[in-house]
Structures are given as structure tokens and as C-alpha cells.
Amino acid sequence: MSELGRVVASLPIPGPLQDRVNALFDCIAPDRHLKTDEVIDLANQHQPAGLLVSLGMPLRAEHMARLPASVRVIATTSVGYDHIDVAAANARGITICNTPDVLTDATADTHMLLLLGAARRAKEHVHNMDGGWKIRNGFFQGLGVEVTGKTMGIVGMGRIGRAVADRARAFRMPILYHNRTRLAADLESGARYYASLEEMLPHCQVLSLNLPGGQGVLMTAERFAMLPKGALFINSARGSLVDEEALLAALKSGQVGAAGLDVFQKEPGFDTRLNELENTFLLPHIGSATIETRMAMASLAIDGIAAVLAGRAPDNRVNL
Ligand code: 8YV
């Protein structure tokens, strides 16, 4: 048994991290992604001190209740932890760790991909190429809308929101933002603060969601109606923030001109009506999916477990 104790992982440990993990822990790692119940069974069988989990593995209160008392730390390979009942973890004295910072750039890059893909009708053009370029667009056909110079409203001006703003400034986009609290001037970098989301919406030619999930539906039919007609809607945060029926209706009426979405109410079983519309550009939750970033995320999650098991408080804990 290694010094720091036993860890059960819900996902395979990639090759480059295996030596480190094995040096730190007695690690039980699968060769595929496990479901919550499978991890709970393994945990009861092996009595680990730590769990390494991923976003696809919800840990609600009823799951926490079935974990053995040996578990002292759970690290998720995601910055978002809306799949974990933190109050239930607190009640059992379990530290929860996540992976902030290391995925900021990759996620902001994906956000711009969504914006450009939606604005420039990438889906139908890629489809045309997949089909051997059978559709010959005339000069005034297949046209998207310009991104450069459009006003972007960002909801959630945390690390990822600010990284999106940095990129949008290179497209000469004026930046507005709504956040619970106003940022210091150096972090605002000239972005205009709106304490009220409703007051910001009418000014957003592009509306960008960059806030954590777990706080209910933010984008309702009423709020989509407050955008200027034809606004672009980009979401790389969480699908749970959006009333998808309302979004479908807004896309069909042209109230929302196009949407770029990396996240959905249901994943992977997303509402395929969204893909049937011409004015959407959809990705399968790949926000952080680069080799560099995923390695850094897994590494940070492992660091969190190691710190807690060594009796230290890691920076990437979200509770306790
Ligand atoms: C996922 C994410 O972790 O970090 C988050 O909150 O949504 C993503 O980076 C990643 O897609 C793995 O599921």
C-alpha cells in the first residue's frame, strides 16, 4: 500500500500520468469510464481514501450517502462541480477538488470556435464539402454575418469570461458584462458592467454564457426576447442554464440569428431538433478537449487528492 493510501478512479489514467499516480497512491483505475453506481461499488469493495471522478459521473446526496466512510477527498477532472452535491460532501467532511485555471484558454478558444462557426454558417459549409462540394454558392448565397466589431455581452466574467473578452477584443468587439459583482478596473479592461442582466440584453449583438451551472435556467423565452433581433447566442458553460424549447423557438423565428453550443440540457442525449436547424453550430462538449489541457486537468485533480491525503489544504478545493 502506498504512503498516501488508496484511490479509486472512475476514468482511465492516461499513460503519461500513470507512473506519478502509482508512486502516490495505490490506485484502482478502470479501462473505461465508469458510472456512479459502479464507482460506489468499487469504493465499498476497496475502501479508498480518495476518488478521482469526471463530469459524467453525478454524485448527488443519495450517492454520497452510499460511499464508505474511508473517503476523505473527491477530485473531479472539471472546473464545474454542479454534478457534485457539495453540501452532502461537507456534511461527511469530504473535501471536493476541481480543476480551475488550467482549462481557461482551451475553453475560451472553443468559445470563439462556436462564435465563428455559428456566425459563418460553418455547419452547412462543412456539410457541403463532406458531400463533395455539390452546392455552388452564388455571390449572395451561403452568407454569414460579420463577427468583427459586434458588441458582445458576457454573462459571468470569471476566468473564462475574461479570456473570452480578451479574444473578442482582437475582433474589435466592444465588451459588456453582467456578473454578481463588478470587477476591479484592471480586470474589467474597459468592459462595461451591467448590474442588471435585463438592462444588458438589448445591447448584445452576441450573448456569451460563461458562468457556472447549478443555478437554474438563466436564458428563458422572456430573456431571449430582450436581445436585439438576430443576435448570436454562444454557450460553452452549461446547458442547464438554457430553456432549450425557448431557444428553439427563438432560432426558428430569427429572434436569435444563430447559436453556437458546446453544452446541452442532456448530454450526450441532446435534443437533436437543435441540430436540424440551419442556424446552429454544435459541438459535443469539447470545451477543454486539448491534449495539453486534459493532461493538466487530470494532473491538478491528482495534486488535490495527494495534498488532502498528505494533510494539506489544496488551492483547488471548493469546500472545507
Ligand atoms: C469537462 C467542463 O470537464 O470543466 C468543466 O466544467 O465542462 C469540461 O471541461 C470536460 O469536458 C470533461 O468532461
Side-chain angles (χ1 to χ4, degrees):
M1 171 86 91
S2 102
E3 201 188 322
L4 294 179
R6 186 167 288 162
V7 167
V8 164
S10 78
L11 69 169
I13 307 291
L17 295 179
Q18 273 169 10
D19 284 349
R20 200 167 136 246
V21 166
N22 291 333
L24 289 169
F25 321 113
D26 172 14
C27 184
I28 291 125
D31 54 10
R32 63 179 171 86
H33 282 256
L34 301 182
K35 294 193 187 330
T36 303
D37 281 341
E38 294 176 298
V39 174
I40 293 173
D41 285 349
L42 269 184
N44 281 297
Q45 192 185 330
H46 295 283
Q47 302 285 312
L51 296 181
L52 179 69
V53 304
S54 65
L55 191 64
M57 207 200 97
L59 275 170
R60 307 286 171 221
E62 72 269 22
H63 303 128
M64 289 282 181
R66 287 161 47 210
L67 287 175
S70 59
V71 176
R72 286 156 47 208
V73 54
I74 301 175
T76 178
T77 55
S78 57
V79 67
Y81 49 90
D82 45 317
H83 56 303
I84 297 178
D85 190 320
V86 176
N90 287 342
R92 297 191 48 158
I94 299 175
T95 302
I96 305 295
C97 298
N98 69 341
T99 63
D101 296 313
V102 293
L103 80 182
T104 300
D105 285 323
T107 308
D109 289 351
T110 302
H111 203 83
M112 298 312 280
L113 172 63
L114 292 171
L115 171 57
L116 292 167
R120 300 299 295 272
R121 300 169 60 165
K123 178 169 69 183
E124 71 187 75
H125 294 309
V126 169
H127 190 64
N128 189 10
M129 296 310 279
D130 285 345
W133 199 346
K134 297 283 160 41
I135 300 164
R136 291 173 65 96
N137 281 314
F139 190 71
F140 286 113
Q141 287 170 331
L143 307 185
V145 292
E146 197 96 359
V147 165
T148 298
K150 291 263 155 55
T151 298
M152 175 185 273
I154 296 179
V155 187
M157 198 64 146
R159 288 169 284 233
I160 297 173
R162 295 199 300 275
V164 168
D166 286 345
R167 285 153 177 76
R169 282 188 196 97
F171 288 79
R172 300 197 295 279
M173 301 176 79
I175 310 293
L176 320 175
Y177 76 99
H178 168 70
N179 211 34
R180 261 178 318 198
T181 48
R182 184 169 181 172
L183 302 182
D186 59 324
L187 292 181
E188 256 181 5
S189 305
R192 177 166 176 191
Y193 178 61
Y194 283 81
S196 151
L197 174 61
E198 281 75 14
E199 277 174 33
M200 180 175 85
L201 290 175
H203 306 286
C204 301
Q205 292 172 298
V206 176
L207 182 70
S208 174
L209 295 197
N210 299 103
L211 69 166
Q215 43 196 324
V217 174
L218 180 94
M219 287 312 294
T220 56
E222 294 71 28
R223 285 180 172 154
F224 279 121
M226 289 175 193
L227 291 166
K229 191 162 174 79
L232 305 178
F233 175 66
I234 312 300
N235 186 9
S236 63
R238 283 291 181 268
S240 57
L241 296 164
V242 179
D243 176 342
E244 286 183 348
E245 285 298 335
L247 175 59
L248 277 162
L251 283 161
K252 280 182 192 156
S253 71
Q255 171 58 19
V256 168
L261 310 172
D262 188 45
V263 288
F264 304 87
Q265 282 275 359
K266 282 207 187 122
E267 297 176 9
F270 78 108
D271 188 336
T272 53
R273 290 177 299 164
L274 284 164
N275 202 38
E276 284 158 18
L277 297 174
E278 276 194 347
N279 50 351
T280 57
F281 179 67
L282 311 182
L283 295 173
H285 203 146
I286 58 146
S288 63
T290 67
I291 296 165
E292 298 90 333
T293 291
R294 286 286 168 85
M295 287 296 172
M297 290 166 77
S299 198
L300 183 55
I302 289 161
D303 289 347
I305 298 178
V308 173
L309 298 190
R312 288 180 278 111
D315 289 343
N316 59 324
R317 69 190 192 281
V318 303
N319 65 340
L320 301 180

